Every structure is written in structure tokens, then in C-alpha cells.
Amino acid sequence: MIEWQTPVFDRTAADAAAREDKCFFSPALLNRIEGNTAYLAQLAGITVPPRTWSSTDFLTATEMQRILDNLSRVRTALKADSVGQIPQLPATGWWDVNNIEKTQALLMDSWQKEQQAVSYAGERYAGDTIGVM
């Protein structure tokens, strides 16, 4: 079973200017993104096999498109098409990576809240009190 890793989406322009490690593509970053997408896919009941990245691998436009497509597939399978923002190619800026990982975090949060909802009178109930007398 793939384990969930806490997404990182706090990169800033100042981080990029300071050349912080979190602003560069690395095997750790790509493996976290791939693994979290595969984890969410399992929750959604679909298969998105993760690629394992090493220090000798090179991120191409085709690979980035595959990453974005997989995240989009997962978002659709979780019936959360409006959750987060999936960037367009080239998707290599710090803000693009923030959007990818923030979308993953929002999808996980949405799924967890859905699991906490209970059925009440044949409807899913998540604690709202609208209409309660």
C-alpha cells in the first residue's frame, strides 16, 4: 500500500529567488506527487500506477502531462472536478507545483470529510444545521 505524504504547497517567489531546495524538481518531490496521486486513486477505486523517480531521471513535457492527467483523472473519479487547480503545461513554476500539491491536499481533505459524513434519513449528512427546527 502506498502511504500518504504531506503535500508541500508553501513555496513563494522569495523561496525561488533564494533558490530554496523545495523550489526545484527532485526525485523526492516527484515521488511524493506520484505517490499521493496513486494514494488518492486507490481511495477513488481507480488505478494510477506511480512512477518511481531517481536522480538520473529527467522530467519531460510528456511525463509532466502524464502527472497532470493522472491528477485530473483522480479528481474526476472522486467527483471533485471543482476542487483545486490543475495547471497547464509546462507546469514547472513554483506556483504550478504549489497548485498540484494543494489540489492533492484539498482532495484528501474532501475525501476525509466525506468519510465522516453519516447517512440520515437516506441522505448524506455532514453536520449542517440548515432547516433544523
Side-chain angles (χ1 to χ4, degrees), residues 90-103:
T92 55
W94 59 266
W95 57 89
D96 294 320
V97 181
N98 275 352
N99 284 335
I100 291 168
E101 293 205 83
K102 185 162 189 173
T103 297

Side-chain angles (χ1 to χ4, degrees), residues 31 34 48 71 79 85 87 97 129:
N31 288 330
E34 296 262 13
V48 177
L71 183 55
K79 297 176 178 45
Q85 181 180 2
V97 181
T129 57

